Amino acid sequence: QAQLVESGGGLVQAGGSLKLSCLASARTFAGHAMGWFRQAPGKEREFVATINWSGDYKDYTDSVKGRVTISRDNAKNTVYLQMISLKPEDSAVYYCAASRSGMSTRPVSYEYWGQGTQVTVSS
């Protein structure tokens, strides 16, 4: 059964750091590009970062470049999102997702989604 489980969210002060993890089932992870998206209340789900299967290629939305790093450990079926210098506007539910068709910034390109983990950044 395809499964993605996010963890690592929480409450942090502005300027702080968090590292999100997403553990996937082997079926969901093998050969898939992975992405992180976020959704704040009343807003659409937006792209944050994506990484290809081998980890050689990554892409980020402009608002997080220099503050966020996506990585993956294929031996552990896990993708990570390291976030530093967090801002209140980073507050959202963060979702990881898996795509058979490769890296994409579009949610529609991802077949599998986790349930999300809440990140709250206080000012």
Side-chain angles (χ1 to χ4, degrees):
Q1 183 176 354
Q3 187 175 22
L4 297 168
V5 180
E6 302 95 336
S7 61
L11 174 63
V12 63
Q13 288 188 333
S17 302
L18 280 175
K19 186 173 184 178
L20 307 183
S21 299
C22 174
L23 175 63
S25 62
R27 169 192 170 188
T28 309
F29 201 76
H32 286 66
M34 301 297 293
W36 284 96
F37 291 78
R38 65 187 180 187
Q39 189 167 19
K43 295 188 177 181
E44 293 186 354
R45 190 167 297 190
E46 66 169 348
F47 165 74
V48 177
T50 184
I51 187 169
N52 72 334
W53 160 241
S54 64
D56 294 339
Y57 294 96
K58 306 172 184 180
D59 191 19
Y60 301 92
T61 191
D62 287 345
S63 63
V64 305
K65 284 181 179 177
R67 302 188 298 118
V68 166
T69 303
I70 188 171
S71 61
R72 65 191 296 161
D73 185 336
N74 289 348
K76 296 182 178 179
N77 291 343
T78 302
V79 62
Y80 305 97
L81 191 71
Q82 175 70 57
M83 303 186 290
I84 65 172
S85 303
L86 283 162
K87 305 175 181 180
E89 51 265 42
D90 293 318
S91 297
V93 177
Y94 282 70
Y95 299 89
C96 73
S99 169
R100 292 192 303 266
S101 57
M103 295 169 56
S104 176
T105 63
R106 301 186 305 147
V108 69
S109 298
Y110 293 79
E111 294 85 10
Y112 306 109
W113 290 84
Q115 294 300 306
T117 185
Q118 177 71 49
V119 171
T120 303
V121 184
S122 63
S123 57

